[in-house]
Amino acid sequence: MKARHSQSFFVFTCEKMKVKQNMLNFTVGPVMSNEKVLRIASNSAPYFRTAEFSEIMLQNEQMMLDNLNAPDGSRCVFLTTSGTGAMESVVMNVLNNKDKVLVINGGSFGKRFLELSQLHDLDTTEIKVEFGHQIRSEQLEYFKNKGYTALLVNMHETSSGNLYDMNLIASFCKCNGILLIVDAISSFIADEVDMTELNAAVVITGSQKALAVQAGVSIVALNREALERVKSNKEKCMYLSLKEALLNAERGQTPFTPAVTTLLQINERLFEINQDGGILNERKKIIARANEFRKFISEFQFEFVPENMSNAVTCLKTEKVKATDIIALMKDEYNIWLCPNGGEFKEQVFRIGHIGNITDCDMQRLKAAFTDLKKRNIIF
């Protein structure tokens, strides 16, 4: 009886998964992948302690540095962890108890940087930004010449869809000799992230956003100043050690078993982007999708949340119907995933992503679903 029960449960689960695979994913990550990337995932992961895998990893590092326009002498490592793991790794490895840290907090992910800094006993000051609002110059100028040594920012606060004025932030950091650490996890590719222009010491991104491969790998690029800090700081963690990651990356390897398949997918995607006109062309496609949807949805009675929208996502506020109801209807009746918000905005705010392998047909299906909800007088 146990065997038959287990088998039937397995079949039931597989059938459920088939339904999910046919759904459209308009979240902000993980996102939909193209066929070439999916084929890589359909094979068993190869053994990775080989010269061939090392060559792929060295290619990955160089292509990422090129796409970020990293300054000479920069390095890039690939951590098998979520974006939060990379954020924590940077806080632990680049900063120390001599630092005086500013954290811009305008939503869920700014709050996460704040909590990580506090957890690791850094002298931390919060710059509070209202949800969906742009940071103002006077908020930064207040901290001028007050001994701050580092600033942490999620350049695109993904929970609100707001893209911060990075030129303003970068200029403040340059003028005050402050180390700039940028979480570009949802911004990379979708928005401009020029490491040299920003004079950013660290840029973090991830596999499951606009790179559009499986989740599980985070990427950390570090300039020379950040590398020197990692080298001189005392080790605090084995698994998230940037020292070990950098040392192993010199030979195209990782200190521990990585998400091998995801790293192979990253290699495929980076080569695809380069061969298809480069990162600017990829961004152009994302911008076109974002603009098409925003023009369409502006006819509905929703409010755009952010003052300055990232290309990666549109964040909408609803008054007459709960955001959770819209998300549930889209999932259950139209086979479309949208992105919810948590906390105090759970019933007011939802998000539609523009990154990943989204086709023109997918866009038409999304718009048709919203149009049908309007015809049914569920939304207005």
Side-chain angles (χ1 to χ4, degrees):
M1 291 296 293
K2 280 188 176 181
R4 284 198 296 273
H5 176 77
S6 298
Q7 187 177 19
S8 63
F9 177 76
F10 176 76
V11 171
F12 172 77
T13 303
C14 287
E15 289 302 315
K16 293 287 282 186
M17 289 303 292
K18 285 178 184 176
V19 173
K20 296 301 183 186
Q21 287 170 359
N22 291 327
M23 292 187 70
L24 290 183
N25 185 352
F26 280 92
T27 68
V28 204
V31 298
M32 295 185 288
S33 303
N34 65 37
E35 287 299 323
K36 285 186 177 180
V37 167
L38 292 174
R39 279 199 294 271
I40 293 170
S42 69
N43 297 308
S44 295
Y47 183 61
F48 65 100
R49 299 296 191 199
T50 64
E52 291 81 4
F53 186 76
S54 291
E55 182 180 354
I56 286 169
M57 289 300 293
L58 292 170
Q59 290 171 351
N60 284 352
E61 179 176 9
Q62 189 56 57
M63 286 190 286
M64 280 299 306
L65 292 173
D66 291 344
N67 282 322
L68 288 167
N69 192 30
D72 291 343
S74 297
R75 295 285 311 283
C76 180
V77 295
F78 298 80
L79 306 176
T80 297
T81 180
S82 68
T84 302
M87 292 163 68
E88 184 160 27
S89 177
V90 168
V91 167
M92 285 191 297
N93 289 275
V94 177
L95 304 176
N96 59 53
N97 58 13
K98 296 179 182 177
D99 282 303
K100 193 174 179 183
V101 181
L102 290 168
V103 180
I104 296 174
N105 177 14
S108 300
F109 296 96
K111 182 182 178 184
R112 191 165 300 177
F113 246 152
L114 179 67
E115 290 172 341
L116 286 168
S117 299
Q118 293 169 338
L119 176 67
H120 291 283
D121 297 321
L122 299 179
D123 183 355
T124 304
T125 300
E126 174 188 19
I127 303 178
K128 183 66 175 175
V129 178
E130 190 177 346
F131 187 77
H133 284 242
Q134 186 59 271
I135 190 164
R136 304 186 309 275
S137 58
E138 56 266 30
Q139 290 177 285
L140 294 171
E141 288 301 310
Y142 177 81
F143 298 100
K144 184 178 179 180
N145 299 322
K146 292 189 177 180
Y148 287 94
T149 59
L151 184 146
L152 310 181
V153 61
N154 316 85
M155 67 173 283
H156 166 216
E157 176 46 70
T158 320
S159 65
S160 70
N162 191 65
L163 182 68
Y164 288 124
D165 185 344
M166 289 305 299
N167 290 329
L168 174 68
I169 294 168
S171 177
F172 169 77
C173 289
K174 287 176 188 177
C175 291
N176 289 277
I178 292 173
L179 197 79
L180 176 58
I181 294 174
V182 179
D183 158 14
I185 292 170
S186 58
S187 289
F188 175 62
I189 301 178
D191 304 307
E192 183 179 6
V193 186
D194 189 316
M195 200 168 170
T196 298
E197 184 67 24
L198 293 174
N199 194 35
V202 181
V203 171
I204 305 166
T205 190
S207 58
Q208 78 277 21
K209 303 292 185 179
L211 270 174
V213 306
Q214 290 175 326
V217 169
S218 290
I219 303 159
V220 181
L222 307 101
N223 72 3
R224 285 178 173 171
E225 184 177 1
L227 291 169
E228 283 301 314
R229 279 172 158 264
V230 171
K231 183 179 178 181
S232 61
N233 279 343
K234 183 180 178 181
E235 199 74 277
K236 291 186 176 180
C237 178
M238 180 183 289
Y239 186 72
L240 293 178
S241 167
L242 289 182
K243 276 193 184 74
E244 289 299 317
L246 288 161
L247 179 63
N248 281 267
E250 291 177 7
R251 60 190 179 96
Q253 286 290 329
T254 57
F256 313 106
T257 303
V260 177
T261 300
T262 306
L263 291 167
L264 295 176
Q265 289 178 325
I266 288 172
N267 189 258
E268 171 66 31
R269 275 289 287 147
L270 289 172
F271 269 111
E272 281 180 358
I273 290 167
N274 288 347
Q275 291 167 2
D276 190 31
I279 196 169
L280 292 178
N281 190 54
E282 191 74 12
R283 185 175 304 133
K284 184 178 178 182
K285 290 186 279 187
I286 295 169
I287 291 170
R289 287 196 293 265
N291 288 342
E292 177 186 349
F293 178 77
R294 288 164 187 171
K295 182 179 179 182
F296 163 78
I297 207 69
S298 64
E299 301 298 323
F300 293 70
Q301 292 183 13
F302 296 124
E303 178 185 338
F304 292 110
V305 172
E307 287 186 350
N308 185 39
M309 289 187 278
S310 164
N311 299 314
V313 63
T314 297
C315 190
L316 299 172
K317 185 177 181 181
T318 173
E319 296 288 351
K320 296 186 178 181
V321 59
K322 291 181 179 180
T324 52
D325 290 343
I326 295 172
I327 291 165
L329 284 166
M330 281 289 191
K331 177 177 72 73
D332 296 335
E333 298 189 20
Y334 300 94
N335 287 344
I336 296 173
W337 279 308
L338 302 182
C339 215
N341 257 48
E344 61 180 305
F345 299 105
K346 180 180 179 181
E347 300 297 353
Q348 296 175 285
V349 171
F350 65 102
R351 296 167 290 161
I352 298 90
H354 310 301
I355 52 179
N357 186 45
I358 299 170
T359 67
D360 290 341
C361 288
D362 298 335
M363 288 294 294
Q364 294 309 311
R365 188 169 145 192
L366 175 69
K367 291 192 286 186
F370 272 104
T371 300
D372 194 53
L373 285 176
K374 188 173 184 179
K375 285 180 180 177
R376 295 166 60 187
N377 292 320
I378 295 171
I379 60 175
F380 304 92

